[in-house]
Amino acid sequence: MSEDRVQVVRGSAEPVPLPLIESGGEALAVVWPGVGSQHRSLHRLLLEPGGLTIDLRHPAESVYYVRAGSATVTDGDGGDQHALVEGSMVHVDPSTSHRFQAGEDGAEIVGGPCPPDPSIYE
């Protein structure tokens, strides 16, 4: 039996919801262990205006990209807040608490921890 070495994950595929949103939005797994990924995760955070993620903390580093809209990311350990606009990239050190809150037009943010954080998928 041969394994697919290149896999295309279609946006129209059945979404896999993740428990990462506190209010006003949804989080979906795109690339994760459920599709065979062992070393990378990619989640899609769709936040309504003012939408808020839960406090996120992963054992490995995380990277996020603001695809649309605007948001604020808060360092839950240090309290610093950073304004994000479309095209912003965010790098979070391992084990650092962080959360996103969408701006007045909402936000679409893609990213996640690398390697995947198994606790997200329990």
Side-chain angles (χ1 to χ4, degrees):
M1 177 191 293
S2 70
E3 292 184 34
D4 290 338
R5 294 183 58 126
V6 175
Q7 184 179 169
V8 175
V9 180
R10 305 229 183 265
S12 61
E14 193 168 319
V16 177
L18 299 173
L20 305 179
I21 304 298
E22 182 173 303
S23 65
E26 64 180 340
L28 305 170
V30 179
V31 176
W32 62 295
V35 298
S37 178
Q38 297 176 21
H39 304 289
R40 165 65 54 208
S41 66
L42 182 72
H43 306 143
R44 186 173 180 209
L45 308 176
L46 300 166
L47 297 171
E48 300 167 4
L52 184 65
T53 66
I54 62 171
D55 285 322
L56 303 166
R57 185 186 302 267
H58 310 293
E61 67 182 8
S62 302
V63 174
Y64 301 91
Y65 174 74
V66 180
R67 187 177 171 284
S70 64
T72 300
V73 62
T74 301
D75 176 342
D77 295 329
D80 294 334
Q81 292 187 334
H82 303 278
L84 306 172
V85 297
E86 187 173 315
S88 294
M89 294 287 305
V90 177
H91 174 266
V92 182
D93 284 339
S95 301
T96 300
S97 173
H98 57 289
R99 71 170 25 201
F100 294 96
Q101 183 164 21
E104 62 185 34
D105 295 324
E108 179 180 1
I109 301 169
V110 294
C114 176
D117 179 351
S119 70
I120 294 174
Y121 314 109
E122 294 174 346

